[in-house]
Amino acid sequence: MFIPCDRGGGSAAPDFKGFTLLMPAVSVGNVGQLAIDLVISTLDMTKVGYFYTDCLVPMVGNNPYATAEENSVELSINAEVYSLPSKKLVVLQIRSPFIKNKYRPFCETLLSWVKSSKCARVVLLSSSHAYQRDDEQLLGTPLRYLLTPDLEKAVGGCMKELNWKEMEKVAAYPGINNTDKVLHIPGGGITKLLFTESCSEGIQMAVLLKFCSEGDNIPDAFVLVNYLNEWLQLIKSEVNPSSQWKIPSSWRLLFGNGLPPALF
C-alpha cells in the first residue's frame, strides 16, 4: 500500500489522476531498476511516499540520489515513490528482490493502487535472458515491447511509427508442437504475471524490455532508458541522448570500493 511522506504539513496522499506510472521489474541484470535510477536522477524527481509491502526483502540505505553532504544521510527503503507533476509522471522504484511466492500478492496490491489512484497507464521496464532467445528473437534489435489490449487501442499506432518490435510468443512445446505459442519472458521476474493480470483487469500497461546477460548492465540501462525516451520524450532527443542522463551518486558503489591502497 502507498504511504505518503510526512513533510511537516500533514500526510495527505498526492493526486496521481491521469499520471503515467513508471516502474521496474526486478529482472536479469537489474536493468529496469538502473534505468529508473537514471530517470529519477535526471528529472530531479521528488520523493512523495513509500510502497509498504511484505512481498519484498526488507532493506534500508542512504539516499541513492544524494547531491550534497546534507541530503546524503537521508534514508531510503526497498520501495519508494517519486513524482514529477509537470510531466504527469509518478515512479515506483524497487530496490530489493521479491520474497518467494509473493509475486501474486504484490501484483494484486499494486494494481489495486493503480486503480484507486486513477493512474492513466503503467510502463514497466524489464529485461530477459539473452541466451534463452529463440531463432526469431535473435534477429534485429534486442529491444521489445508489449501492450495490453486497452493501451494498444491508444498507442498501438505510435509504436508502429517508431518501428518498434513486439515481443514474440514462442512455442509452448518446442520440437514437439510449434503451433501453440505462449508468452515467455525468462529472467523477467514479475513481468509476465503483472502484464497478464493487467490485461485481465483492463489496465493500460506497456512493457519495455531488453534481452541481456548478467554483468555490468549499465550500458543496457542506457539503451533501455533511451528506448523509453523515444516514446515518452522525458528529455530532449539529440544525437547522443545518453550523454543527457544524469548518473546518480550511488552508482559509484555498484561494484564496491576496491581494495584499500594500504594493503599494497
Side-chain angles (χ1 to χ4, degrees):
M1 61 183 288
F2 174 68
I3 308 292
C5 288
D6 184 356
R7 297 293 183 182
S11 56
D15 183 12
F16 297 139
K17 184 178 180 180
F19 279 45
T20 294
L21 170 62
L22 181 63
M23 63 173 290
V26 182
S27 52
V28 55
N30 303 314
V31 176
Q33 293 157 291
L34 292 171
I36 293 291
D37 267 352
L38 290 171
V39 171
I40 295 172
S41 181
T42 303
L43 300 181
D44 194 22
M45 298 184 73
T46 302
K47 182 162 66 176
V48 294
Y50 311 87
F51 201 75
Y52 180 74
T53 174
D54 63 354
C55 300
L56 296 167
V57 173
M59 64 139 286
V60 65
N62 289 88
N63 180 8
Y65 312 115
T67 55
E69 187 174 347
E70 291 75 23
N71 63 4
S72 65
V73 294
E74 294 177 5
L75 296 180
S76 294
I77 61 170
N78 54 8
E80 295 185 322
V81 179
Y82 298 78
S83 177
L84 187 63
S86 62
K87 290 187 179 290
K88 286 213 158 191
L89 183 68
V90 56
V91 171
L92 169 63
Q93 175 63 303
I94 300 173
R95 298 193 178 96
S96 69
F98 283 87
I99 293 172
K100 188 176 180 180
N101 299 324
K102 289 289 188 176
Y103 277 9
R104 188 168 294 278
F106 179 84
C107 290
E108 291 172 354
T109 304
L110 175 71
L111 295 181
S112 176
W113 176 56
V114 170
K115 287 181 177 179
S116 63
S117 60
K118 298 182 179 178
C119 289
R121 60 190 176 188
V122 181
V123 180
L124 181 69
L125 301 186
S126 184
S127 51
S128 184
H129 284 301
Y131 75 89
Q132 288 193 251
R133 289 174 290 176
D134 68 3
D135 291 346
E136 187 178 2
Q137 292 172 337
L138 287 167
L139 301 174
T141 175
L143 295 161
R144 295 292 189 276
Y145 79 92
L146 286 166
L147 299 176
T148 59
D150 288 80
L151 188 57
E152 175 76 41
K153 298 172 185 175
V155 303
C158 176
M159 302 310 186
K160 289 181 173 59
E161 289 178 11
L162 290 170
N163 201 28
W164 281 11
K165 198 167 185 179
E166 189 172 3
M167 183 69 171
E168 303 89 344
K169 291 186 176 181
V170 300
Y173 307 101
I176 301 173
N177 181 355
N178 292 325
T179 58
D180 292 338
K181 301 279 188 176
V182 295
L183 182 62
H184 186 50
I185 309 177
I190 66 168
T191 304
K192 181 179 176 181
L193 177 61
L194 191 56
F195 177 75
T196 54
E197 288 296 306
S198 296
C199 290
S200 301
E201 297 281 343
I203 290 174
Q204 295 192 16
M205 172 177 280
V207 175
L208 309 186
L209 67 82
K210 184 180 186 298
F211 294 116
C212 68
S213 302
E214 292 277 6
D216 180 358
N217 295 101
I218 289 176
D220 297 306
F222 276 105
V223 171
L224 186 59
V225 79
N226 286 334
Y227 187 53
L228 169 72
N229 195 60
E230 285 182 40
W231 174 29
L232 295 187
Q233 295 293 295
L234 300 176
I235 61 172
K236 292 181 179 179
S237 297
E238 296 182 353
V239 177
N240 182 19
S242 293
S243 63
Q244 298 181 74
W245 297 107
K246 180 183 175 183
I247 295 176
S249 56
S250 57
W251 281 23
R252 291 175 300 177
L253 306 174
L254 281 178
F255 300 102
N257 286 328
L259 295 174
L263 291 177
F264 299 97

